[in-house]
Amino acid sequence: MKLKEIVLRHLQMEMKFPFTTSFGTMKNKEFILVEVKDEEGLSGWGESVAFPSPFYSEETLQTNWHMIEDFLIPLLKDKDISHPDEITSLFEPIKKNNMAKAAIEGAVWDLYAKRKGIPLYQALGGENTTIDVGISIGIQETVDDLLHIIKTHVDEGYKRIKVKIKPGWDVDVIREIRCSFPDILLMADANSAYRLEDLPELKKLDEFQLMMIEQPLASDDIVDHAVLQRELQTPLCLDESIHSYEDARKALQLGSCKIINIKIGRVGGLTESKKIHDLCKENSIPVWCGGMLEAGVGRAHNIALTTLSHFTMPGDTAASSRYWERDIIQPEVTVQGGVIQVRDQAGIGYDMDLEAVKKFTLKEKVHSL
Ligand code: OSB
Ligand code: MG
């Protein structure tokens, strides 16, 4: 396939609620939406998961815009692409900037599947037509507020509850959750808020049967995590620390975690996500699909990826209505009893709501190839 045009859009969508993690609070979602067009006028869509500020990772909306315009798009000029896997190879000379790469690569995967007339999940080799999902809940003003929110989502049927923790909002909070909900699948995500010296505090979490603790230590660490994992009964899951197949291989070799969270943007695309999935499958390491408060396009990509056979734990891909009054896809993503039905439509499986896209667009730039 020959790519003819790439349209970059900077969108801003108001979130229904602020989302607080150990690194800060998000009230608005700003991101880059990528549209890749072929010579027949078909469009593939991708979404960058980079946030405006570099608190989750070093990438930002602006660095992604720069990388895509000045380095990634030029690498696609005059190329005839027969399979999306080739995008990963074409982008290889550019170091890191995985979220920027994944935004383009995801759009090419969608276009590829649409040209073949098959759903993206089938193009990826996915097998499941329903996926189980959980929900990620931010830090709240009070524990009562948190318990109330958890109850709402447990009643909705979400299969697993993830809560954010940080020093001062951890052991006591988890204890109260366990008192009220003794049997739910529960996990905690620290987003790198602890250091190895916090071992005594983290050890106290062992009594609450958490499915896992996600990324307790530094965002670039796999060595201290291995030390910590040896001291804890609760499985550790890595999020921020895993940027590639190679990172995953090394973390597993070191024993830095027992579970891996795959985020397409963080690892540079669907092709790399599949490789990490396959590695974990070979090593019987559970994987699940993380979330970055995505709008509809990113959400649809997460759903397609999660159909791969070894996504055995519920992910963070909740319903569109949890985040948005109006999503940019039609229909929006719905969850019933903690389950998403995977759609059989070609490509990402959802239509674009172009009117919504227009409404949320702050800036748009067309690049001809
Ligand atoms: O660490 O998984 C994370 C949101 C923003 C940044 C990082 C993370 C998260 C979430 C929310 O946990 C997942 C979602 O609902 O999309
Ligand atoms: Mg996380």
Side-chain angles (χ1 to χ4, degrees), residues 74-125:
L75 289 174
L76 299 174
K77 282 223 189 302
D78 306 317
K79 295 290 188 316
D80 198 352
I81 293 150
S82 52
H83 191 277
D85 286 350
E86 293 161 24
I87 300 290
T88 310
S89 316
L90 282 172
F91 288 169
E92 210 180 314
I94 309 292
K95 302 281 190 294
K96 299 188 179 174
N97 293 286
N98 285 350
M99 294 174 182
K101 291 174 179 172
I104 301 263
E105 193 239 24
V108 174
W109 267 105
D110 178 30
L111 180 59
Y112 170 79
K114 281 177 175 150
R115 286 169 59 101
K116 283 198 148 278
I118 59 171
L120 174 60
Y121 84 89
Q122 282 174 16
L124 290 167

Side-chain angles (χ1 to χ4, degrees), residues 91-155:
F91 288 169
E92 210 180 314
I94 309 292
K95 302 281 190 294
K96 299 188 179 174
N97 293 286
N98 285 350
M99 294 174 182
K101 291 174 179 172
I104 301 263
E105 193 239 24
V108 174
W109 267 105
D110 178 30
L111 180 59
Y112 170 79
K114 281 177 175 150
R115 286 169 59 101
K116 283 198 148 278
I118 59 171
L120 174 60
Y121 84 89
Q122 282 174 16
L124 290 167
E127 292 169 13
N128 300 317
T129 52
T130 59
I131 62 168
D132 285 355
V133 290
I135 197 157
S136 173
I137 305 171
I139 293 165
Q140 306 298 319
E141 300 255 311
T142 68
V143 178
D144 274 350
D145 289 349
L146 178 60
L147 293 175
H148 181 78
I149 295 170
I150 292 175
K151 178 162 186 343
T152 308
H153 297 309
V154 169
D155 290 348

Side-chain angles (χ1 to χ4, degrees), residues 56 162 164 187 189-191 214-215 238-240 261 263 266 288 290-291 316:
Y56 167 83
K162 160 166 141 184
K164 296 287 186 179
M187 60 172 289
D189 185 359
N191 289 107
E214 184 179 345
Q215 195 73 35
L238 289 177
D239 172 353
E240 281 91 328
N261 157 337
K263 288 181 181 170
R266 198 192 65 228
W288 55 278
D316 276 347

